[in-house]
Amino acid sequence: MKTHPLYLNGQFVTTDKTIPVLNPATGETVAQMSVCNRSVVAQALADAHTAFQTWRHVVGKTRGDFLLKIAAEVERRKDEFARAITEENGKPLAQSAGEIGMTIDHLRWFAEEARRSYGRTIPPQADGKRHVVIKTPIGVVAAISPWNFPLVLAVRKVAAALAAGCTVVLKPASATPVCAVLFAECVHAAGLPKGAFQLVAGSAAEIAAEFLENPRCRKITFTGSTEVGKKLIAGAAAHVKPLSLELGGHSPVLIFDDADLAKAVEGTMIAKYRNTGQSCIAANRIYVQRGLAEKFIATLVERVKALKVGAGTEAGVDIGPLINAAAVDLALKHIADAQAKGAKLLCGGKRHGNAGSAFLEPTVLTGVPGASLGMCDETFAPVAYVNIFDTEAEAIERANDTSYGLAAYVFTRDLNRAFRLMDALEAGMIGINDAIPTTSNAPFGGVKQSGWGRELGTEGMDAFLETKHASFVIS
């Protein structure tokens, strides 16, 4: 069984202490990952700080050229990456391939953005003065990435920071580190200067503590739960350390009577069941206007019943395993709670396979009370809660009735309504007849307790730049 190394200051390092990497479809250990203690993380930050003194002065075009070389390496090994993601995460192989495609696009986008860290000249308000605004890289960045999209959510942080002129230390999720090691191999093959990118693994709490308390670490960028995000906020407060946080979502879907039924069902299927429902922007709460509700629900249930459940490597599989059996237990708890409070189960609702397996039957419930667990917090699983509404005002109120605000989806053919909802919905991203609004050149992030800041787009690189104002007196 292979033991995967860390990547420290340009060298691959295998340690004596390891953690197992499990295939969630089988529960079997498929690899070992080297881990390190806090002192190794501190040294990685020190080496990143040293590398930053040079990397920050590399011109944007050259930084972009490195990212293009990394993108080419990832593309060359795309089949290997896809297999690794499916093996450690469980998602269907076709969806892993889609993640690789988005990863490559992110690298290429930020390769071009590296040329465009624009400042500006400000007209003076007093004679004899000139004002210039410049952008400079913030410094060493610590990136903490999740397991649900283990490669693309790491790379959107790493690529943006490197493009900005920062150096990066990445801590991937312990459940899914292998694709991060493969990415480090691509970085190494591209010839990125040593220390500009490093990979550490180990105790999340111990590594995060070093990131928070070490003054050489100038920013932390994190994707994960709101609960963990709040702990990072508390820790960062002591050092006034900047954070970029992409946290929990609890996305609503609003389907109006005038929507195209086929497109609304197809869009909801993608927004809800893609990645086995384990997506921060997954549709959790589905609201259908009364006039279309009967047809929509019947068609949705028919489609959900037809989904194939199985290991991600099997042909034609739509729904893979959840990340572990405990995730199924939590989803079943949410389903049982909804039923106990009056919801009607239309399909699914049970563990798929043997007791203790990580598979869950794709599920649809209707008439789900607002006080049920799944309507208060996201069910990170292939479980859809469908409720009926009558008016646009009611739909908006129910959609916004949450502490989260990452994404929202609307299906309507009324352009005026679409513009009203763009303004009224409390979400950082809104898909209008679009189930996959994420794109490299547009900002990604949420409002309320779904996070701080934005990734991707021009905002994605700006998150790693300091803004400086220089005032000149001209004699």
Side-chain angles (χ1 to χ4, degrees), residues 157-362:
K157 303 173 188 305
V158 173
L162 290 174
C166 299
T167 54
V168 188
V169 179
L170 171 67
K171 192 276 178 198
S174 295
T176 55
V178 175
C179 61
V181 177
L182 298 183
F183 179 74
E185 292 174 359
C186 292
V187 169
H188 191 76
L192 196 73
K194 70 175 187 178
F197 169 80
Q198 296 177 84
L199 173 67
V200 298
S203 164
E206 191 175 333
I207 293 173
E210 185 61 35
F211 287 163
L212 287 165
E213 296 170 19
N214 192 314
R216 288 193 171 106
C217 177
R218 295 294 300 275
K219 179 162 188 172
I220 299 174
T221 173
F222 168 78
T223 296
S225 70
T226 297
E227 179 185 7
V228 174
K230 289 178 179 179
K231 292 178 180 178
L232 288 174
I233 292 169
H239 306 279
V240 197
K241 184 157 293 187
L243 301 172
S244 287
L245 303 173
E246 195 267 280
L247 306 177
H250 196 32
S251 302
V253 183
L254 307 184
I255 300 161
F256 290 87
D257 285 345
D258 67 338
D260 181 302
L261 176 62
K263 291 181 179 178
V265 172
E266 181 64 26
T268 302
M269 290 292 297
I270 295 169
K272 173 66 261 183
Y273 295 101
R274 182 174 68 109
N275 209 51
T276 314
Q278 299 173 120
S279 169
C280 52
I281 61 171
N284 232 45
R285 301 168 294 134
I286 301 166
Y287 300 104
V288 191
Q289 199 162 20
R290 192 171 299 277
L292 195 63
E294 184 177 351
K295 289 182 179 179
F296 175 86
I297 293 171
T299 308
L300 179 71
V301 171
E302 182 182 1
R303 288 286 305 277
V304 172
K305 286 181 177 179
L307 293 173
K308 182 179 179 179
V309 181
T313 51
E314 295 178 15
V317 164
D318 303 296
I319 302 293
L322 298 188
I323 191 64
N324 52 42
V328 178
D329 294 338
L330 181 58
L332 291 172
K333 179 181 177 181
H334 281 205
I335 293 167
D337 177 77
Q339 289 181 278
K341 290 174 178 166
K344 182 180 180 181
L345 180 68
L346 299 183
C347 65
K350 301 190 296 293
R351 191 186 299 270
H352 178 86
N354 299 328
S357 84
F359 291 93
L360 178 70
E361 293 181 357

Side-chain angles (χ1 to χ4, degrees), residues 355-380:
S357 84
F359 291 93
L360 178 70
E361 293 181 357
T363 301
V364 179
L365 300 103
T366 60
V368 188
S372 61
L373 291 174
M375 294 295 286
C376 297
D377 293 295
E378 61 181 333
T379 303
F380 222 54

